[in-house]
Amino acid sequence: MNDSPKRANFSALTSQSNGLNRHASPLVNSKPGTTRKLIIKNFKEKPKLPDNYQHETWLKLKEAVEAIHTSHSIKASLEELYQAVENLCSHKVSTALYDELKLVCECHVRSNIHQFLGDCVDSEQFLKHMNVCWQDHCRQMIMIRSIFLFLDRTYVLQNSAVASIWDMGLELFRLHIISNNTVQTRTIDGLLMLIERERNGEAIDRQLLKNLLRMLSDLQIYQSSFEKKFLEKTDCLYAAEGQRLMQERDVPEYLSHVDKRLHEENERLLHYLDQTTRKPLISRVEYQLLAQHLSSILQKGVEQLLEMNKISILTLMYQLLGRVKDGLKEMCFTFAIYLKKKGKLIVTNPEGDIEKDKDMVQQLLDFKDQTENIINTCFAKNEKFVNATKESFEYFINQRQNKPAELIAKYVDSKLRAGNKEATEEELERLLDKIMVLFRFIHGKDVFEAFYKKDLAKRLLVGKSASVDAEKSMLSKLKQECGGGFTSKLEGMFKDMELSKDIMLAFKQHMTSVQAPGNIEMTVNILTMGHWPTYIPMDVHIPVEMVKFQEIFKKFYLGKHSGRKLQWQSTLGHCVLKASFAEGKKELQVSLFQTLCLLMFNDGSDFSFEEIKQATAIEESELRRTLQSLACGKARVLAKMPKGKDVDTRDIFRFNDDFKHKLCRIKINQIQMKETPEENTSTTERVFHDRQYQVDAAIVRIMKTRKTLSHTLLISELYNQLKFPVKPSDLKKRIESLIDRDYMERDKDVANQYHYVA
């Protein structure tokens, strides 16, 4: 087989007819590893279009555009028309082509104006014609642009001053149709009329509104022509509606209406209004319906809704007023006014109603629970409302000095007393936490401490404490809140009770080697005087056996603790007596004073008040209470002549042999748990007395540090340091007292200046 020479790769492209000489390819016989350049040259002359090509092509294109305008079929294919445009653009006739196209479109748009200038149709029909015209125009411009796409992508892009075919179509529609005063006015008025009808509750064609408003937006006249008038109409509508409805409806109905209106306007924004309108539209609705009537809504609504505990409406009010400037600030202020007003009604008691005072703490707890629920549920735990609540509670609780602190202490006592079956341990713990919240608001915490200590002492000594764990839990809470100094004496009371148990174990061991006087048992609690409330000793005539027992214990105790002094407190003693009645034997749990009275009836059947008083040496008012509990209470082991609820000095008392009771052991010593008016007065006076010492100490402390101070500054410093309420006149008295005792002196030249005396 003979080797034939290799042919060039491009040999098929060369021929004699093209005027080029045939020659061997430069790639033939090239050596391996060498490279050659392939050079392709342009035609020496550019191809030319036939002379009449531009005119004929434009006529063909014009015919197509007019067919689109008249909704007729186009004779030529779209591909052919596109190619014709490309050919014209390639031969530098783009400007003329664009101008011709614009002229044809302008003539067509102008011809459409006449259908809108007549008065034969109503507003809605007019809008429908406008919508049809706009939709047709958009469809036509899309088809025209698809034919002239090459022109749009070359000539228009290269000339920034020239509008795109679509923008040119918008400009023509804006210029010749919508810019006509009559057409624009009828269009805008028609749109506003439809929206007004919808606001009045009618059903309208939302799609029509959406199309025409989008048209205004595309033509860039939405804000200038429509939005301004629309917002003015909105202002007028809601201003009038707000004025009318505030007078006709109550606040819950009004707020529900406002919420409904806001929802409707948001629906309009969603369905047909431009999103740029959202902020000005909603702000106008909020201003006219809420901000303009803010004070009326709050004055008419807040107190009513809070009194009725309308959670859903309060939540709605909070959400709506949060949308307007200073809405929540004003609501919080009104909320605080209501709390102070309602709280003051709970706390103050100008008539001195005892029953009202009994319920005060429970009412405060319920009021606090209700308030917290509203803040958490309705006000989203807003910090401003939380702080307003704290300030309001602190304000009204301290409107009545000392009494709230006393009543809170007594309320705690009632809950920690044995026999309180109202709550489980968990519920009691939660209740104590709530009580501590009220306790924090009290200024005179020393009053609480005094009454709490007095009641705690009774619970411990009479054995009426419901739970040691609950007592210690309360003590722990107080310590955490006020520090160790506040609870040191209370803790000392518990320590005394525990030490007393150990001492009694040792005493009982001791009694095994000593002959007990009489058939009695004795338990003694050793109380450290500084830890417990101050008790006034009362010398009474106690049985000989008890006196002997006391002496045995005194000798035993002082033998172990030399240098100490024991003082017997007969007012705190209690006993268990065995009594025989016609029905059978009973055990009576009674106080020491009750015991002394009952033991007299071992030696006789009838005794007068004076005889009992002389035999027992019990103070008269105390004896009245004691005999009243035995003869006029639920368990009447004594009979009184004449019968009655009160005890008189002329009354005669007789042992009630016919006494009956379903229990074997009967408690009659509840008298010790009840507070007498004298005790109450004594406790309050003791608090004031202690306060004097605290004021004196504070004055000396301040003067020792500052050396010289004016009266005004000294009073100001004292108010900063003292933790209880005090009057300026009382402070002045304490300053005078310290001057008399030479702790400080007045300046000789400046009357209102004091100097510390070292």
Side-chain angles (χ1 to χ4, degrees), residues 40-64:
I40 301 174
K41 295 182 179 180
N42 291 330
F43 292 112
K44 290 181 180 179
E45 293 182 9
K46 292 181 180 178
K48 292 183 180 179
L49 291 173
D51 292 338
N52 60 345
Y53 181 81
Q54 182 178 342
H55 178 69
E56 290 176 359
T57 305
W58 166 243
L59 289 175
K60 189 192 299 181
L61 291 169
K62 183 181 178 182
E63 184 183 355

Side-chain angles (χ1 to χ4, degrees), residues 501-718:
K501 288 179 184 176
D502 296 337
I503 290 168
M504 286 315 298
L505 286 173
F507 180 64
K508 283 181 180 177
Q509 187 96 17
H510 172 74
M511 287 303 292
T512 56
S513 58
V514 179
Q515 186 178 0
N519 188 23
I520 60 173
E521 293 180 11
M522 188 172 77
T523 302
V524 181
N525 289 317
I526 310 296
L527 314 180
T528 306
M529 189 172 284
H531 295 163
W532 296 75
T534 304
Y535 300 106
I536 300 169
M538 190 183 293
D539 291 327
V540 292
H541 300 157
I542 60 175
V544 177
E545 294 87 353
M546 290 179 70
V547 173
K548 288 180 181 177
F549 227 128
Q550 285 180 349
E551 289 300 322
I552 293 169
F553 180 81
K554 185 176 180 181
K555 186 178 179 182
F556 163 77
Y557 182 78
L558 294 178
K560 287 183 174 290
H561 305 279
S562 60
R564 295 189 183 181
K565 183 182 176 183
L566 287 179
Q567 186 180 57
W568 296 93
Q569 292 289 350
S570 53
T571 54
L572 303 177
H574 58 276
C575 307
V576 177
L577 295 179
K578 291 181 179 178
S580 299
F581 298 98
E583 188 187 41
K585 291 187 177 182
K586 302 282 184 184
E587 288 186 0
L588 305 178
Q589 194 170 324
V590 290
S591 70
L592 178 60
F593 291 164
Q594 289 170 325
T595 301
L596 298 179
C597 294
L598 290 173
L599 288 176
M600 288 184 65
F601 291 91
N602 285 334
D603 303 323
S605 57
D606 296 339
F607 292 97
S608 68
F609 180 89
E610 288 298 332
E611 288 173 332
I612 297 172
K613 180 182 175 183
Q614 192 174 358
T616 59
I618 299 172
E619 190 265 328
E620 186 172 312
S621 61
E622 191 68 39
L623 182 60
R624 282 178 189 272
R625 283 208 311 149
T626 303
L627 290 172
Q628 190 178 32
S629 67
L630 295 171
C632 308
K634 291 180 181 178
R636 300 185 180 185
V637 292
L638 297 181
K640 182 175 83 74
M641 281 95 57
K643 292 183 178 180
K645 290 185 178 179
D646 297 320
V647 172
D648 190 75
T649 53
R650 291 167 293 181
D651 289 345
I652 305 295
F653 295 89
R654 178 180 295 162
F655 181 70
N656 182 13
D657 194 47
D658 298 327
F659 173 75
K660 293 180 180 179
H661 202 283
K662 61 181 180 180
L663 298 177
C664 181
R665 175 174 282 199
I666 304 136
K667 296 178 182 178
I668 318 178
N669 69 337
Q670 296 299 321
I671 187 171
Q672 283 184 309
M673 296 300 289
K674 291 178 182 176
E675 182 187 57
T676 63
E678 293 80 9
E679 274 185 305
N680 188 301
T681 306
S682 171
T683 306
T684 307
E685 285 177 354
R686 194 162 57 251
V687 170
F688 290 145
H689 195 63
D690 290 343
R691 282 183 179 179
Q692 288 185 357
Y693 293 136
Q694 291 183 51
V695 172
D696 288 355
I699 294 170
V700 172
R701 199 162 49 242
I702 292 166
M703 291 305 301
K704 190 173 183 180
T705 307
R706 305 291 288 273
K707 305 301 181 188
T708 300
L709 209 58
S710 70
H711 178 79
T712 309
L713 287 174
L714 177 57
I715 297 296
S716 176
E717 287 271 3
L718 283 169

Side-chain angles (χ1 to χ4, degrees), residues 436 439 473-488 490-491:
M436 287 306 298
F439 172 75
S473 172
M474 185 63 188
L475 202 61
S476 172
K477 294 178 197 300
L478 290 171
K479 188 174 184 178
Q480 190 175 357
E481 185 65 31
C482 303
F486 187 84
T487 57
S488 59
L490 303 176
E491 289 171 335

Side-chain angles (χ1 to χ4, degrees), residues 433-444:
D433 286 332
K434 290 178 181 179
I435 290 168
M436 287 306 298
V437 173
L438 293 183
F439 172 75
R440 289 187 190 107
F441 299 133
I442 296 169
H443 288 164

